[in-house]
Amino acid sequence: MNAPSVLEFFAGGGLARLGLEGWRTCFANDIDPVKARAYAANFGPDRLVQADIWSLGVEDLPAEVADLAWASSPCQDLSLAGARGGLSARRSGAFWGFWRLIEALDAEGRAPRLIVIENVVGLLTSRGGEDFHGLCDLLASRGWRFGALEMDAAHWLPQSRPRLFVVATRDEGGPAASGPCGPFHSRGVVAAWERLSEPARAAWRWWRLPTPSLRNTNLAAVLETDLDAGWFDAARTQRLLDLMAPLHRARLDGLLATGERRVGAAYRRVRREAGVRTQRLEARFDGLAGCLRTPAGGSSRQFVIVVENGEVRARLLTAREALRLMGVPDAYAVPGSTGGALKLAGDGVAVPVVRALSDGLLLPLLGRSKKAAA
């Protein structure tokens, strides 16, 4: 019971919980039945409530004062790839269901000591920045000190996955700098801060995290062996390669000419060319996978491309590989369907990113160390 406690909202399959080593979950909630089953299979059903967050009341939450409330609310309406309807839209509007509970706890003197709001980087600019500015004004008006960090999973994992973390507290102290510093105060974060209101700026803190060590794994390290993979036949592979734009195809041909083994990842995307919407295969061979997305049709499935001895092989990324790209250990019980597992990964938060945030900022804000928490 000495471990710091956490309320997990929009808990998904529990990837944030995996990263919060040494923390004690006293409540978890998600609306998705597949994710809830995965959560229960890996952590047990105790303290897990599968329900729409709008159906919950403060009486459904534990009586104790939690140290942390973690909220990874739906991002579809804020994503740079989506329509970006903003926090007022239906899906990302679920954030307000979470905030309603925080204010109810606050009214009873039971507000958590820390709040983490995790979302896509598009939150900084959705609706012309109005959503982020509104969030900051809201936090400031309720007496929270807060700051934002843009953290890319690529610092720890072979996946390009930038995400925004807004960390709020009412306590004083903690690791903060006098201005932007390190790799996590991106140009986007700084630009958003420059447009904040004076009350929000007064409450802002430039949270400081240690610079991570150089990543020592690449995409090939998380993939199944060639013998275990379900490679496409030659005809399907060729149909896929035929979708490449000339520049991407020229790069692939250059790799083929070397005869060396190169492992890449690719997505099918729709691009406008000469005013016409055209589906293209876009591949990268820099040791990183593209940002995992939820499966919304075949175009959202990521492909593995292997170039070796002048030949190209292609296949779909597997569910287990997707979870590895999120930092999930192989001991984690995968949901029953491939689609469910891919959705869990695409909607999730990368485990080592949460761990770095916990060790470098959240525990110090509580006056705790990782060793003490464990």
Side-chain angles (χ1 to χ4, degrees):
M1 293 296 292
N2 291 326
S5 57
V6 56
L7 307 170
E8 292 182 79
F9 295 96
F10 315 103
L15 273 59
R17 179 168 178 165
L18 287 173
L20 291 169
E21 288 183 315
W23 294 73
R24 174 175 55 87
T25 294
C26 54
F27 176 85
N29 163 251
D30 202 277
I31 191 174
D32 189 298
V34 174
K35 294 176 183 176
R37 285 196 295 272
Y39 191 105
N42 286 281
F43 306 107
D46 294 347
R47 298 180 174 84
L48 171 65
V49 177
Q50 183 207 327
D52 186 335
I53 196 166
W54 286 102
S55 72
L56 300 176
V58 70
E59 66 277 2
D60 297 308
L61 303 179
E64 67 176 289
V65 177
D67 292 298
L68 168 66
W70 182 284
S72 294
S73 58
C75 66
Q76 293 94 330
D77 294 299
L78 302 176
S79 172
L80 293 171
R84 304 178 74 195
L87 289 177
S88 62
R90 177 179 60 84
R91 289 169 296 187
S92 292
F95 166 83
W96 296 110
F98 157 74
W99 191 254
R100 172 183 57 93
L101 295 173
I102 294 297
E103 290 194 336
L105 288 173
D106 201 8
E108 295 184 2
R110 297 195 289 129
R113 291 181 60 187
L114 299 174
I115 295 174
V116 173
I117 299 165
E118 181 264 334
N119 216 291
V120 294
V121 176
L123 176 57
L124 292 170
T125 55
S126 60
R127 295 202 300 166
E130 185 176 333
D131 285 314
F132 185 72
H133 302 157
L135 173 61
C136 293
D137 286 339
L138 177 66
L139 291 169
S141 71
R142 301 289 294 189
W144 294 91
R145 299 184 305 112
F146 60 89
L149 304 107
E150 182 179 332
M151 302 176 69
D152 192 338
H155 287 290
W156 297 271
L157 295 165
Q159 181 197 174
S160 173
R161 190 179 186 83
R163 286 295 185 268
L164 188 71
F165 296 83
V166 178
V167 179
T169 179
R170 283 180 171 150
D171 296 338
E172 295 296 330
S178 58
C181 63
F184 306 123
H185 295 146
S186 64
R187 286 184 293 178
V189 169
V190 174
W193 169 81
E194 289 174 343
R195 296 189 296 268
L196 292 181
S197 66
E198 285 303 318
R201 279 205 195 193
W204 181 275
R205 298 295 183 270
W206 293 105
W207 299 129
R208 186 175 66 248
L209 275 181
T211 300
S213 302
L214 292 176
R215 175 173 47 84
N216 58 8
T217 59
N218 58 22
L219 175 62
V222 305
L223 299 180
E224 305 291 348
T225 66
D226 287 356
L227 293 178
D228 294 331
W231 298 104
F232 298 161
D233 60 27
R236 187 177 179 185
T237 299
Q238 189 58 54
R239 288 196 299 270
L240 189 65
L241 298 182
D242 286 343
L243 296 176
M244 281 187 159
L247 179 60
H248 281 260
R249 184 63 208 224
R251 291 172 179 165
L252 180 64
D253 290 341
L255 295 176
L256 281 167
T258 68
E260 298 176 355
R261 179 182 173 88
R262 297 291 298 273
V263 178
Y267 268 123
R268 287 183 298 194
R269 303 183 187 277
V270 175
R271 301 299 186 189
R272 187 169 293 276
E273 299 177 0
V276 178
R277 289 170 57 84
T278 304
Q279 189 177 67
R280 290 298 192 186
L281 182 75
E282 298 181 355
R284 58 189 302 168
F285 291 87
D286 59 354
L288 293 175
C291 183
L292 291 172
R293 297 182 286 169
T294 58
S299 63
S300 288
R301 290 289 300 274
Q302 193 159 183
F303 299 92
V304 174
I305 309 290
V306 173
V307 177
E308 188 174 20
N309 297 327
E311 297 182 351
V312 180
R313 288 177 293 166
R315 62 174 176 84
L316 290 168
L317 188 77
T318 70
R320 177 58 70 187
E321 290 167 340
L323 289 170
R324 289 172 184 164
L325 286 170
M326 296 297 289
V328 177
D330 283 358
Y332 183 93
V334 178
S337 70
T338 296
L342 292 172
K343 183 179 181 183
L344 187 153
D347 277 341
V349 58
V351 173
V353 178
V354 178
R355 189 169 298 135
L357 188 69
S358 171
D359 296 348
L361 180 58
L362 303 183
L363 290 175
L365 282 171
L366 294 176
R368 308 281 291 272
S369 66
K370 181 179 180 181
K371 181 177 180 180

